[in-house]
Amino acid sequence: MEPEMESDRGLAQLEGYLLWSAEVADARRHADRFTEQLPWLTTAQREDVERVYTAERLAASRAMLVRVSARATTLRAEYTERYRQLRARCVAVAVVCAGAASGGCAALTLLVR
């Protein structure tokens, strides 16, 4: 693997790790805020509720990320194909225009003689 691709991959992994860590911290903060609204819970109950809340939130976040990632992959494939078709059309138009221009010049040359 090329060093540049390897460093890009490493940076993407680091970014993913940092984003997921931020999501985990955010889920824990929300769980803490949620249990603060339930002052009658014992310490053990509070810890259980926070654990379950955090786990549920992270599961929902993971599911959302999987859906977004799958959609991004689909869109990338669609746009890559559209770009390929557009490029082929542009090349064909350029070839036709160049042929028409050279044919026009040849016809003009023959008419002028």
Side-chain angles (χ1 to χ4, degrees):
M1 186 180 277
E2 294 180 31
E4 185 176 316
M5 288 176 58
E6 195 172 312
S7 66
D8 288 347
R9 184 171 174 246
L11 287 174
Q13 286 178 335
L14 178 61
E15 181 183 22
Y17 172 79
L18 292 174
L19 287 171
W20 188 249
S21 294
E23 184 64 26
V24 169
D26 194 44
R28 287 181 178 149
R29 260 191 313 281
H30 279 86
D32 185 55
R33 279 193 227 134
F34 179 73
T35 56
E36 283 177 358
Q37 297 173 24
L38 310 170
W40 60 86
L41 294 176
T42 65
T43 301
Q45 290 172 329
R46 180 184 172 111
E47 289 171 356
D48 283 344
V49 169
E50 285 178 359
R51 182 183 49 75
V52 170
Y53 185 100
T54 301
E56 287 295 316
R57 168 112 185 231
L58 292 177
S61 293
R62 185 177 303 275
M64 185 263 315
L65 286 172
V66 168
R67 284 192 308 274
V68 168
S69 177
R71 181 65 180 143
T73 301
T74 302
L75 285 174
R76 182 181 184 102
E78 288 176 18
Y79 286 127
T80 298
E81 179 59 22
R82 286 183 187 175
Y83 176 73
R84 188 194 64 72
Q85 290 173 355
L86 179 61
R87 188 177 54 207
R89 286 181 192 152
C90 287
V91 168
V93 167
V95 168
V96 167
C97 288
S102 81
C105 288
L108 185 61
T109 302
L110 289 174
L111 288 175
V112 172
R113 287 187 177 179

